Amino acid sequence: MKFSQVFEENSSDVNKLVSVQLRYVVLLFFFVWFLNDRKIFAVNSVTLNKVMLLSVVVLLIPTVLTDIFCIRHWIVKYVNIFCTVLFVSLLYMYFTYHTVLMFVFPLVMASLYFNMSLTIFTIITSLVGMAVSHILSLYVGVIDSDPLETLYRVTVYGLLPRSIEYLVFSAIIILLSKRTSKLLYSFMSYSEDIKQNRDCLDVIVGNTNSMFQAKSEKELAVVVFQVFKCLIGVHSKIESDYEAYFGVVDSHGNYNVFSENLSLTKLRRTKERLVIPLSDKDLHIAYYYDKEDAAIFVKDGHLVMPFYESHSLNAFLVIQNHFISTDEMILTQELKVAYGNVKLAISNIRLSQEMYQTQEELVRAFAEICESKSKQTGQHIKRTSEYMKVMAKALKLQDMEQDALVIASMMHDIGKLMIPSEIIEKKGKLTEEEFAEIKKHVTYGFDLLKYSPGRVMEIAKTIALQHHEKWNGKGYLGMKGMEIDFYSRIMAVVDVFDALISKRSYKEKWTLEDAYNEIVNQSGEHFDPEVVRMFCEHFEEFKIIVAAYPD
């Protein structure tokens, strides 16, 4: 909340406070009237009753405005102060110097608002009220003991010194009010800085997990834009739209650059510096830096954050913002924390990609070994992986997950490496013992892969174990329905389909139409109906794959 908003809320609270205090004054007045009625005071009863009646009417006006009608207009505070001054002036007109200290009351009330205009208004109206009341008191003559019996003596010896005293006291009140306002402003500014810092730390901490879980540069770019634009938005004084770019070096030394809308462009490496074409001008960043952590800096209205690894430019972040400066200590510290997180996340993606590439190479090697063991399988592994790619795209999986699924599917029969060749290549029907041995290839495959780390191997070992399960529970392991992993249910369809259209030692190949009808007929029995529906929707793509990779 801004400082002005705080004092606007404060005005409403003080209005209520003033109305309450003035009601207490009404009660106090009744108490004075009671004492005067008991002859403790020597004030004319008729006069006191008049003063009391007028004062009660004046004193209850703030209550009517604030508590009954609940008016929150700025003019209410002026009305409250004016009523207070009018009440004090009435007292002063009838009782003169006996009530002179009461003029402090409206001034104290005004100081609670921390509003200089209201304080000046109070001083002026109080001086006018004091002057008019003091002169009128000469003619009212309620207090017989007042020695100021002429207009000259009333003005020179009564009004003038009291006005000077009041002005001196007012000056003191103004100075104290200013000092208090300054202290409150400093406190609120400090509180606002703390809140900003907390909000920014919440942004950094809240996105740290997402940043480290990013599997690709694109996923990381989404989180990076969110974090840094939020940090700048908290500290920026002006709301504005601005461009942002996040670039990461690829294996060829060029840079994949993502804009805020995640569109991808390529920047080729030049001889001396990386040139980033922005909307207003080109920005140059050095390829090499003699320190591991480059300084975060603002250049030409752009916040620039280069990320170096082994003194070479590994990535960069550029955000256009003309309304922010890295001279702000809190912002600088927050940017450094976020900078460190991004640098770690980039390294994490690099390691993940290297592990992924290693896994891919390993899977392809195993797949080739598995395929070479059987002369009958031909292009089966290649076709099934292409079928899985079609299904993965239909599921709208993220790019990394699609690739992982496609590569993992190549290892669905990896367990057959443990099955004797004579059983795999046998012509004719298998004996019960041989079929029991063949069924073991699913557990053999799982055992071969179960200790391998990474997402690819995680999918591969599950598919290897479950791809012969049936929706009705009559598969190799007896799993059924939703107990079977979804990727394994997809693998079951594409594996059976390709087996049907392929020639084996124990059978002739089926036509595409017959294989299609068999898959459809087995929906809800052998296969998950949802997977069969996807298969039917994309069957034309399956036919293209079959034509592209014949045995």
Side-chain angles (χ1 to χ4, degrees):
M1 184 180 291
K2 295 182 179 179
F3 195 62
S4 58
Q5 292 175 316
V6 171
F7 281 104
E8 184 178 343
E9 292 295 327
N10 177 65
S11 295
S12 298
D13 294 337
V14 175
N15 285 340
K16 294 180 180 179
L17 177 63
V18 169
S19 66
V20 170
Q21 298 306 313
L22 294 184
R23 290 198 295 271
Y24 286 146
V25 173
V26 171
L27 294 177
L28 179 61
F29 223 133
F30 276 109
F31 182 66
V32 170
W33 175 84
F34 174 78
L35 294 179
N36 188 68
D37 189 60
R38 295 293 181 269
K39 307 303 181 184
I40 295 176
F41 297 142
V43 180
N44 183 276
S45 297
V46 177
T47 302
L48 184 61
N49 290 341
K50 292 179 182 178
V51 174
M52 182 174 176
L53 180 60
L54 291 173
S55 298
V56 167
V57 172
V58 171
L59 292 173
L60 290 180
I61 290 176
T63 296
V64 173
L65 295 177
T66 304
D67 299 302
I68 297 178
F69 292 109
C70 299
I71 299 175
R72 295 174 61 89
H73 196 274
W74 62 267
I75 202 171
V76 172
K77 57 179 173 284
Y78 285 91
V79 174
N80 289 348
I81 295 300
F82 181 77
C83 289
T84 309
V85 171
L86 184 59
F87 159 67
V88 173
S89 299
L90 283 171
L91 293 182
Y92 192 69
M93 180 177 69
Y94 283 97
F95 307 119
T96 61
Y97 63 87
H98 295 284
T99 57
V100 68
L101 289 177
M102 289 295 292
F103 277 101
V104 175
F105 182 52
L107 192 58
V108 171
M109 290 289 189
S111 67
L112 296 176
Y113 289 94
F114 295 100
N115 185 306
M116 184 56 63
S117 299
L118 185 63
T119 303
I120 300 296
F121 171 80
T122 305
I123 293 172
I124 294 173
T125 54
S126 295
L127 287 174
V128 171
M130 183 184 296
V132 173
S133 300
H134 205 104
I135 293 172
L136 290 178
S137 68
L138 175 65
Y139 304 103
V140 173
V142 176
I143 306 298
D144 296 332
S145 58
D146 194 334
L148 307 179
E149 297 176 348
T150 65
L151 181 60
Y152 175 80
R153 294 178 66 85
V154 164
T155 303
V156 176
Y157 299 108
L159 179 60
L160 185 60
R162 289 167 187 172
S163 298
I164 294 173
E165 291 172 1
Y166 181 77
L167 286 173
V168 171
F169 186 80
S170 299
I172 295 173
I173 289 292
I174 290 174
L175 291 174
L176 290 175
S177 180
K178 279 188 173 182
R179 180 59 179 167
T180 304
S181 298
K182 186 176 181 180
L183 288 173
L184 284 174
Y185 182 79
S186 299
F187 174 76
M188 290 185 61
S189 298
Y190 180 70
S191 299
E192 187 66 23
D193 288 342
I194 292 176
K195 181 180 181 301
Q196 282 186 352
N197 194 31
R198 186 182 68 241
D199 291 344
C200 290
L201 289 176
D202 287 344
V203 170
I204 295 172
V205 173
N207 287 278
T208 297
N209 191 44
S210 299
M211 195 174 289
F212 291 147
Q213 286 184 344
K215 301 300 183 184
S216 65
E217 288 93 348
K218 185 176 181 179
E219 290 181 20
L220 180 59
V222 173
V223 184
V224 167
F225 288 140
Q226 181 178 349
V227 170
F228 284 93
K229 294 195 73 176
C230 187
L231 291 182
I232 293 174
V234 170
H235 289 273
S236 182
K237 305 301 181 185
I238 301 177
E239 294 291 334
S240 62
D241 294 326
Y242 37 81
E243 57 185 331
Y245 298 96
F246 178 66
V248 183
V249 68
D250 61 18
S251 58
H252 302 291
N254 299 318
Y255 291 84
N256 297 322
V257 183
F258 296 93
S259 62
E260 190 185 0
N261 61 7
L262 299 181
S263 61
L264 175 64
T265 56
K266 291 276 189 179
L267 286 183
R268 293 190 176 277
R269 188 182 183 96
T270 54
K271 291 183 179 180
E272 298 180 354
R273 287 175 170 263
L274 179 66
V275 180
I276 305 172
L278 303 176
S279 58
D280 49 358
K281 60 168 58 178
D282 291 345
L283 184 68
H284 297 255
I285 301 180
Y287 285 122
Y288 301 101
Y289 194 71
D290 57 357
K291 296 180 181 179
E292 209 45 42
D293 291 323
I296 301 168
F297 59 92
V298 172
K299 183 178 181 181
D300 299 328
H302 296 82
L303 177 67
V304 183
M305 301 181 71
F307 300 88
Y308 291 91
E309 184 176 346
S310 299
H311 309 293
S312 181
L313 184 63
N314 192 31
F316 63 85
L317 173 66
V318 177
I319 299 179
Q320 183 190 43
N321 190 311
H322 296 278
F323 310 109
I324 199 162
S325 170
T326 52
D327 293 336
E328 295 185 40
M329 184 181 66
I330 293 178
L331 174 60
T332 301
Q333 295 301 318
E334 292 163 353
L335 290 176
K336 286 181 178 179
V337 173
Y339 177 93
N341 285 350
V342 174
K343 190 171 183 180
L344 288 174
I346 294 171
S347 299
N348 184 56
I349 288 177
R350 285 279 183 265
L351 290 174
S352 297
Q353 290 175 340
E354 290 174 4
M355 181 180 293
Y356 182 86
Q357 291 171 356
T358 301
Q359 289 180 339
E360 182 178 2
E361 292 170 1
L362 181 62
V363 167
R364 292 187 185 279
F366 270 122
E368 289 175 4
I369 294 172
C370 185
E371 188 170 347
S372 66
K373 186 172 182 179
S374 175
K375 298 176 183 179
Q376 303 180 55
T377 55
Q379 294 274 52
H380 172 68
I381 292 175
K382 179 62 179 176
R383 286 195 299 267
T384 52
S385 67
E386 289 297 317
Y387 300 150
M388 291 298 279
K389 183 183 293 185
V390 170
M391 301 296 261
K393 289 181 178 178
L395 290 171
K396 295 183 167 56
L397 300 177
Q398 293 183 351
D399 293 344
M400 290 287 287
E401 185 72 1
Q402 285 188 32
D403 293 342
L405 177 57
V406 171
I407 294 170
S409 68
M410 296 180 182
M411 301 188 73
H412 67 280
D413 278 335
I414 192 68
K416 286 185 178 180
L417 290 173
M418 310 298 292
I419 306 298
S421 298
E422 56 268 22
I423 296 178
I424 295 176
E425 298 294 329
K426 181 180 178 179
K427 296 182 179 181
K429 186 177 180 180
L430 298 175
T431 65
E432 291 185 5
E433 292 78 11
E434 289 171 336
F435 185 62
E437 184 64 25
I438 279 285
K439 289 168 64 176
K440 292 180 181 179
H441 83 275
V442 296
T443 54
Y444 289 156
F446 178 79
D447 290 338
L448 284 171
L449 303 174
K450 64 182 179 181
Y451 296 119
S452 301
R455 180 60 179 160
V456 172
M457 292 303 184
E458 181 183 349
I459 298 173
K461 67 185 178 185
T462 303
I463 287 178
L465 181 66
Q466 300 180 14
H467 72 283
H468 280 289
E469 297 309 295
K470 296 183 178 181
W471 185 254
N472 60 12
K474 296 180 180 180
Y476 285 6
L477 304 177
M479 300 174 69
K480 66 179 180 179
M482 302 301 287
E483 295 175 359
I484 309 167
D485 177 73
F486 186 58
Y487 291 166
S488 299
R489 284 179 260 154
I490 298 175
M491 190 72 235
V493 170
V494 302
D495 187 36
V496 170
F497 170 76
D498 197 73
L500 291 174
I501 65 170
S502 302
K503 183 177 180 179
R504 295 288 185 265
S505 59
Y506 53 87
K507 76 170 192 67
E508 293 297 323
K509 68 177 183 179
W510 293 27
T511 64
L512 290 176
E513 290 72 17
D514 289 341
Y516 174 86
N517 292 332
E518 178 65 14
I519 297 295
V520 173
N521 291 336
Q522 289 297 317
S523 177
E525 292 294 327
H526 190 153
F527 307 119
D528 178 356
E530 177 62 22
V531 177
V532 173
R533 183 190 61 79
M534 292 171 56
F535 167 80
C536 295
E537 289 178 356
H538 298 275
F539 183 62
E540 292 300 319
E541 296 173 68
F542 276 58
K543 291 166 66 174
I544 293 173
I545 294 170
V546 173
Y549 302 100
D551 287 330

